[in-house]
Amino acid sequence: MYQGACALVRQRGYATTEESLLPGIATVGCPVFHQGGDIAATVTVVGILGHLDTSPSSTVVTLLKDTCAALSSALP
């Protein structure tokens, strides 16, 4: 299951959760990659469920993906 989840994140460029650990919380996270393709870090936005738009075309997802892509490009 872990490899399938990682493959989905690589394909979409982000992951989301809703109420996974805390009721009423939603998150959007994106990986930051080294040039070799390994994950160096992640950046996550945490918000209130129903207020944080986690849909693929949301402003949060778009900006987070763009930011993490820029960070990835800057890493050695």
Side-chain angles (χ1 to χ4, degrees):
M1 173 159 162
Y2 175 76
Q3 288 181 348
C6 286
L8 182 61
V9 171
R10 282 188 184 269
Q11 176 188 2
R12 293 189 329 176
Y14 70 99
T16 62
T17 62
E18 293 184 354
E19 297 189 316
S20 118
L21 295 175
L22 295 170
I25 299 297
T27 66
V28 178
C30 289
V32 177
F33 297 99
H34 288 289
Q35 286 184 359
D38 294 328
I39 294 176
T42 60
V43 179
T44 303
V45 175
V46 179
I48 297 171
L49 185 64
H51 294 276
L52 178 63
D53 185 357
T54 62
S55 64
S57 61
S58 72
T59 302
V60 170
V61 170
T62 301
L63 289 174
L64 192 57
K65 286 174 62 176
D66 290 347
T67 300
C68 288
L71 289 170
S72 295
S73 295
L75 288 179

